[in-house]
Amino acid sequence: MTRPRPLVPRGDPADTVKVVGEFGVIDRVLAQAGTARAAQVGPGDDAAVLRTPDRRVVATTDVLVEGRHFRRDWSSAEDVGHKAAAANLADVAAMGGVATALLVGLACPSSTQTSWLEGVAAGLAAECAPLGAAVVGGDLVAAAADSASVVLSVTALGDLGGRAPVLRSGARPGDVVALAGRLGWSACGLAVLRRGFSSPNAVVAAHRRPTPPYAAGPGAAEAGATAMCDVSDGLLADLGHIATASGVVVDLDRAALVRACLEPAGPLQQVGSALGTDPLAWVLTGGEDHALVATFPPRAGLPVGWTPIGQVRKGRRPGVLVGGQAAADVVRAVGAEGAGHVHFG
Amino acid sequence: MTRPRPLVPRGDPADTVKVVGEFGVIDRVLAQAGTARAAQVGPGDDAAVLRTPDRRVVATTDVLVEGRHFRRDWSSAEDVGHKAAAANLADVAAMGGVATALLVGLACPSSTQTSWLEGVAAGLAAECAPLGAAVVGGDLVAAAADSASVVLSVTALGDLGGRAPVLRSGARPGDVVALAGRLGWSACGLAVLRRGFSSPNAVVAAHRRPTPPYAAGPGAAEAGATAMCDVSDGLLADLGHIATASGVVVDLDRAALVRACLEPAGPLQQVGSALGTDPLAWVLTGGEDHALVATFPPRAGLPVGWTPIGQVRKGRRPGVLVGGQAAADVVRAVGAEGAGHVHFG
């Protein structure tokens, strides 16, 4: 098929989706996509076909809405791609899987610059590539007539490599609660950006591009983890899901949590002093770092990358405690705004 | 976890997402979801896990935007669910697969009535159930602050049951072009609704809930189809994709197409006369019925549900002809607005 020559140069402000057209944009976006190792049929047909040697596939979807989950003035297009991929890849890891492919549904105004969409595609590809995954399909449509905002829906598929999936419901009294990855960095970065600053760079970068500990998920599954989830809504909220699903009490060791997340002192303390915020608030309630939390049988050694932060106990009411104290009281004491996101205001 | 009693009765106009809250809405939506036969782990964890005995999985995504792909005053919530599912399930069928599961990303204003979302979930479930598929995961988020419109991104997964996927690129000169399913009904129904009417019901219903011939996809794959796709953008546009990908000319037999799609005379002629439209225009360029088109080797018998409508020929320029005439000329002659949708206006 012969395509018309572009009317405006690449990167020109007038180089929008409207000018380039759906198929032209898809061509340019797919040039960024890379190749999924598992793909038998990649993008461009009615559907993709992926190899699933394990005879099972892990599947999860996350939606990012402009202005709610990202802002174009705070995050580059590449950042948005990284973040959208990371949220999904972490969910696959939290089942004990390794992501193999993404599918991306994107609604955007026709005034969206094509180069911005190429940047998102490049970010998605870069986040996936170390795992051997890539975007294998998707759909690009015009946003609603009443909206100038981008909506990005990403589905990740993954492989369990023969391992049993690690659910939220398997935690047992006596299990060790452990953490892999960072907590509070993204929330701290968001607090910085909200006040109009852009440093310290380490926390702002963490907000823009989370760095989930992907390998720790399959590692925990191999080591016999009894329950696992990723921290997307905040540690207390997400451990609350494990406590509820397992019918147990998760009792966090405050000193261990401080050692794991706040020592040695770094940018969280620095920003905390500047803003008058106890950095433990970000650790307990900040989402979007996509750390993993899991429970392990008491006598199993923790695998590489995991640090103990508490214990699973019996209890009349499933829930999360910090040093035996109700999570809500601790949250109030450290001055956090609440346990996890409220998604509909 | 104890949930608070609802503040307003179900179905009350005040029974919105904002009032019920994310987790309450998810509970109610999941009550409609049914069970996917292939699910090892269903909704409620970080990700779903599906069995893929074929060692491959088919995957496709389609996005529906309120005001562009559906209108709440023209379609019920159940209709929207049926339509969103059908668009994806047909893509899986067009590869020769059988759908096993859906994942749904949904962005909606917090004023959305919970019962509307339950209706969408019921429609998705009803469209999937005959195939043994169901919604196994998803994400529900607040729409952008500048938008009162719903965006629905659906990903379908499917199984090939040992069959080779049927691509768009396999058509060979001499192959028979065949059709399964209806063409033009959805476009005719849309023309009726656009003019403020709601009858004849047959075409309006076809617009609201397409009825793709799901079984014809795997049937064609079994019978050795060389290329296949679903008709979502219009027959000429979608056969154009096969022609381009295969490097061939698709020559439609106008009389055969009329026999297959317009005989005996029915609502398309009835509406055509009333509106002064040649119903062949809807047949050639109307999308969203999700019929399947495929090419078969010349001496293979066509499987059940398939009707011949043309031939594949060699040609200097890949493209679609109708009785040897360029598709664009035929479209002009029948007075259709163009070959397929333009997605960004």
Side-chain angles (χ1 to χ4, degrees), chain A residues 70-90:
Chain A
F70 65 90
R71 281 174 49 161
R72 290 204 225 176
D73 54 341
W74 286 353
S75 296
S76 72
E78 287 77 6
D79 292 338
V80 172
H82 274 277
K83 188 170 173 168
N88 282 280
L89 301 178

Side-chain angles (χ1 to χ4, degrees), chain B residues 137-174:
Chain B
D139 194 17
L140 175 68
V141 301
D146 66 358
S147 181
S149 305
V150 172
V151 177
L152 190 62
S153 182
V154 179
T155 298
L157 304 180
D159 193 84
L160 287 164
R163 294 175 293 276
V166 184
L167 309 185
R168 297 175 174 183
S169 53
R172 296 291 167 257

Side-chain angles (χ1 to χ4, degrees), chain B residues 170-181:
Chain B
R172 296 291 167 257
D175 283 355
V176 173
V177 180
L179 169 73

Side-chain angles (χ1 to χ4, degrees), chain A:
Chain A
M1 190 154 43
T2 329
R3 301 197 188 278
R5 286 177 63 82
L7 302 173
V8 293
R10 282 182 154 208
D12 188 285
D15 179 26
T16 62
V17 175
K18 180 170 184 169
V19 169
V20 178
E22 182 189 11
F23 292 112
V25 172
I26 289 174
D27 278 357
R28 278 169 58 179
V29 163
L30 285 181
Q32 306 292 334
T35 305
R37 206 184 292 143
Q40 181 186 359
V41 177
D45 217 295
D46 290 275
V49 180
L50 288 172
R51 287 179 287 270
T52 57
D54 176 74
R55 295 176 185 259
R56 292 169 301 176
V57 66
V58 180
T60 181
T61 294
D62 261 299
V63 182
L64 275 74
V65 173
E66 184 176 352
R68 297 198 184 275
H69 304 95
F70 65 90
R71 281 174 49 161
R72 290 204 225 176
D73 54 341
W74 286 353
S75 296
S76 72
E78 287 77 6
D79 292 338
V80 172
H82 274 277
K83 188 170 173 168
N88 282 280
L89 301 178
D91 280 327
V92 173
M95 300 300 285
V98 177
T100 51
L102 299 184
L103 294 102
V104 180
L106 195 145
C108 69
S110 62
S111 60
T112 305
Q113 288 185 30
T114 308
S115 59
W116 190 85
L117 296 176
E118 291 178 277
V120 172
L124 289 165
E127 189 70 23
C128 286
L131 303 172
V135 173
V136 296
D139 193 17
L140 174 68
V141 302
D146 66 358
S147 180
S149 304
V150 171
V151 177
L152 189 62
S153 180
V154 178
T155 298
L157 304 180
D159 193 84
L160 286 164
R163 293 175 294 275
V166 185
L167 309 185
R168 296 175 174 184
S169 53
R172 296 290 167 259
D175 283 356
V176 173
V177 181
L179 168 74
R182 299 197 295 202
L183 289 174
W185 286 57
S186 178
C188 177
L190 181 60
V192 166
L193 287 165
R194 277 202 176 132
R195 280 156 183 88
F197 300 109
S198 59
S199 70
N201 184 59
V203 292
V204 171
H207 178 71
R208 291 178 173 148
R209 299 190 186 185
T211 52
Y214 299 123
E222 298 269 7
T226 51
M228 180 156 53
C229 70
D230 87 315
V231 180
S232 49
D233 288 346
L235 179 67
L236 297 179
D238 288 306
L239 280 176
H241 297 146
I242 286 182
T244 303
S246 301
V248 297
V249 169
V250 170
D251 192 2
L252 293 173
D253 176 339
R254 187 177 176 138
L257 199 57
V258 167
R259 271 198 308 278
C261 299
L262 295 169
E263 285 177 7
L268 269 65
Q269 280 87 350
Q270 186 192 333
V271 177
S273 328
L275 303 182
T277 301
D278 184 339
L280 191 60
W282 294 318
V283 168
L284 290 172
T285 66
E288 301 196 324
D289 289 298
H290 302 290
L292 299 176
V293 283
T295 57
F296 294 88
R299 267 168 293 274
L302 294 186
V304 175
W306 289 89
T307 308
I309 57 167
Q311 281 226 301
V312 179
R313 304 194 192 286
K314 266 191 248 187
R316 275 167 304 156
R317 284 184 54 192
V320 183
L321 307 175
V322 183
Q325 218 185 340
D329 297 336
V330 178
V331 166
R332 243 191 316 275
V334 296
E337 283 130 36
H341 287 270
V342 173
H343 295 275
F344 289 94

Side-chain angles (χ1 to χ4, degrees), chain B residues 83 182-193 202-210 268 282 286-290 341:
Chain B
K83 189 170 172 168
R182 298 196 297 202
L183 290 174
W185 287 57
S186 178
C188 177
L190 181 59
V192 165
L193 287 165
V203 292
V204 171
H207 177 72
R208 290 178 173 147
R209 298 190 188 186
L268 269 64
W282 292 319
E288 300 196 323
D289 289 298
H290 301 292
H341 288 269

Side-chain angles (χ1 to χ4, degrees), chain B:
Chain B
M1 191 155 44
T2 328
R3 300 195 187 283
R5 287 178 61 84
L7 302 173
V8 293
R10 285 186 150 205
D12 188 284
D15 180 24
T16 63
V17 175
K18 181 171 183 166
V19 169
V20 179
E22 182 189 11
F23 293 111
V25 172
I26 289 173
D27 278 355
R28 279 169 57 179
V29 163
L30 285 181
Q32 306 292 332
T35 305
R37 206 183 294 143
Q40 181 185 358
V41 178
D45 218 296
D46 290 275
V49 180
L50 289 172
R51 287 179 287 270
T52 56
D54 177 74
R55 294 174 185 260
R56 292 170 300 176
V57 65
V58 181
T60 180
T61 293
D62 261 298
V63 182
L64 275 74
V65 173
E66 183 177 350
R68 299 200 183 273
H69 303 95
F70 65 89
R71 282 174 49 161
R72 290 204 225 174
D73 54 342
W74 286 353
S75 296
S76 72
E78 287 77 6
D79 291 338
V80 172
H82 274 277
K83 189 170 172 168
N88 283 280
L89 301 177
D91 279 327
V92 173
M95 300 301 285
V98 177
T100 51
L102 298 184
L103 295 102
V104 180
L106 196 144
C108 69
S110 62
S111 60
T112 305
Q113 288 184 29
T114 308
S115 59
W116 191 85
L117 296 176
E118 290 177 278
V120 172
L124 290 165
E127 189 69 24
C128 286
L131 303 171
V135 173
V136 296
D139 194 17
L140 175 68
V141 301
D146 66 358
S147 181
S149 305
V150 172
V151 177
L152 190 62
S153 182
V154 179
T155 298
L157 304 180
D159 193 84
L160 287 164
R163 294 175 293 276
V166 184
L167 309 185
R168 297 175 174 183
S169 53
R172 296 291 167 257
D175 283 355
V176 173
V177 180
L179 169 73
R182 298 196 297 202
L183 290 174
W185 287 57
S186 178
C188 177
L190 181 59
V192 165
L193 287 165
R194 277 202 175 131
R195 281 156 183 86
F197 301 109
S198 60
S199 70
N201 183 59
V203 292
V204 171
H207 177 72
R208 290 178 173 147
R209 298 190 188 186
T211 54
Y214 299 123
E222 298 270 8
T226 51
M228 181 155 54
C229 70
D230 87 313
V231 180
S232 50
D233 288 346
L235 180 67
L236 298 179
D238 288 306
L239 280 176
H241 297 147
I242 286 183
T244 304
S246 302
V248 297
V249 169
V250 169
D251 193 2
L252 293 173
D253 176 338
R254 186 176 177 139
L257 200 56
V258 167
R259 271 198 307 279
C261 299
L262 295 170
E263 285 177 8
L268 269 64
Q269 281 87 349
Q270 185 192 335
V271 178
S273 328
L275 303 181
T277 302
D278 184 338
L280 191 59
W282 292 319
V283 169
L284 291 172
T285 65
E288 300 196 323
D289 289 298
H290 301 292
L292 298 176
V293 284
T295 57
F296 293 88
R299 266 168 293 273
L302 294 185
V304 175
W306 289 89
T307 309
I309 56 166
Q311 281 226 302
V312 179
R313 303 193 192 286
K314 266 191 248 184
R316 273 167 305 155
R317 284 186 53 193
V320 183
L321 308 175
V322 183
Q325 217 184 342
D329 297 337
V330 178
V331 166
R332 244 189 315 276
V334 296
E337 283 129 38
H341 288 269
V342 173
H343 295 275
F344 288 94

